[in-house]
Amino acid sequence: MAEIRSIGVVGGGQMGSGIAQLAAVNGFEIWLHDADSTALSNAHESISSRIQSIVSKGHLTKEKGAEALRNLRCTSNLEDFRSVDIVIEAIVESEEVKKKLFVRLDNIVKGSAILASNTSSISITRLASATSRPDQVIGMHFMNPPPVMKLVEIIRGASTSDDTFNATKFLAERLGKKIICSQDFSGFIVNRILMPMINEAFHALYTGVATKEDIDAGMKFGTNHPMGPLELADHIGLDVCLSIMKVLHAGLGDSKYAPCPLLAQYVDAGRLGRKKGIGVYQYSKM
């Protein structure tokens, strides 16, 4: 099993930048890619700010903070990934878009490199089928935000090799994560359980069972969840929740996974959650 030293992360959004920060702080060489130069600049600024905050709170030495920032390199050119040991994609939750990316990466990275997807619901087997190295494709689903949440969900595709699985598991352990392993079924473990709960909370709101505040309060104070399902949906992104529900519905073929019409309506209206300033709740603009 080859040691992973250098990591490429595709996607400068909240998940991608979080994964890049986590890996940089833990001593890995990081290439962070985004085709949007503004998004890439914002990601670098956000990572730098978060690392400086960790240092100021005494959770990381100044030396380690400076080393982490030196470990991080940003690029808008995927060709810079030629020497990385693993690529973790954290882009839009679309099978078609992810497959196109994997085709490009397959032709760029070295033959021994692992291609990992941070997908929260899409079949790893189908993503792997777009490449010439299906045995080196795996799911590595980080929770949001990656530097804080302790879990990584690892998903083996039909052809994922033991070497690929072991290298990915070892990487997650070096990042300080608790690992769970799922078979390659729609939604895997976490979202197979979580998203129907969120969807049902939308149904409760849609049918007038209760106000959004009471629905969230019920789950926070009645079941000890850190935040209510509607608040959590805003945090995740309503578009992401809708996409996952569609994958669950298509992949599992059960009507109970059909997305709530209210969730779809909010997404159609551009009410995507915190990232847009409005979702189920209204948020003050940063």
Side-chain angles (χ1 to χ4, degrees), residues 237-277:
L238 302 194
D239 53 334
V240 176
C241 295
L242 179 60
S243 175
I244 295 170
M245 287 307 302
K246 287 179 177 178
V247 169
L248 287 171
H249 191 212
L252 300 172
D254 193 316
S255 60
K256 71 181 181 181
Y257 297 112
C260 175
L262 183 61
L263 172 59
Q265 184 183 69
Y266 278 13
V267 173
D268 288 343
R271 296 176 60 163
L272 306 185
R274 281 188 173 274
K275 60 189 173 186
K276 290 295 185 179

Side-chain angles (χ1 to χ4, degrees), residues 28 33 57 102 156 172-173 203 250 260:
F28 291 92
H33 172 275
K57 293 175 182 177
F102 271 37
R156 295 180 70 151
E173 289 170 343
H203 273 295
C260 175

Side-chain angles (χ1 to χ4, degrees), residues 1-7 19 21-29 64 67 71 85-86 140 142 150 152 154 166-179:
M1 182 180 69
E3 183 180 1
I4 293 174
R5 298 176 182 272
S6 178
I7 301 173
I19 294 167
Q21 174 191 324
L22 174 68
V25 167
N26 279 278
F28 291 92
E29 297 175 2
K64 287 292 184 181
E67 180 184 350
N71 287 338
D85 300 311
I86 185 171
M140 195 177 190
F142 290 80
K150 296 296 185 184
V152 167
I154 295 179
N166 290 331
T168 304
K169 182 174 181 289
F170 185 57
L171 170 61
E173 289 170 343
R174 287 184 63 190
L175 295 174
K177 299 304 182 183
K178 168 70 178 176
I179 296 121

Side-chain angles (χ1 to χ4, degrees), residues 93-140:
E93 192 71 354
S94 162
E95 182 173 334
E96 181 182 359
V97 175
K98 288 181 187 295
K99 277 185 173 179
K100 287 180 180 178
L101 173 63
F102 271 37
V103 169
R104 290 185 63 194
L105 291 170
D106 192 31
N107 292 318
I108 292 173
V109 301
K110 61 188 179 183
S112 61
I114 294 169
L115 299 180
S117 175
N118 184 56
T119 179
S120 56
S121 62
I122 297 169
S123 168
I124 301 303
T125 300
R126 292 201 301 270
L127 295 180
S129 72
T131 76
S132 64
R133 61 182 85 196
D135 58 316
Q136 293 163 230
V137 177
I138 196 165
M140 195 177 190

Side-chain angles (χ1 to χ4, degrees), residues 67-84:
E67 180 184 350
L69 290 174
R70 288 195 299 271
N71 287 338
L72 176 65
R73 287 170 287 185
C74 295
T75 180
S76 57
N77 185 2
L78 280 178
E79 296 289 335
D80 287 328
F81 281 20
R82 287 191 175 277
S83 63
V84 301

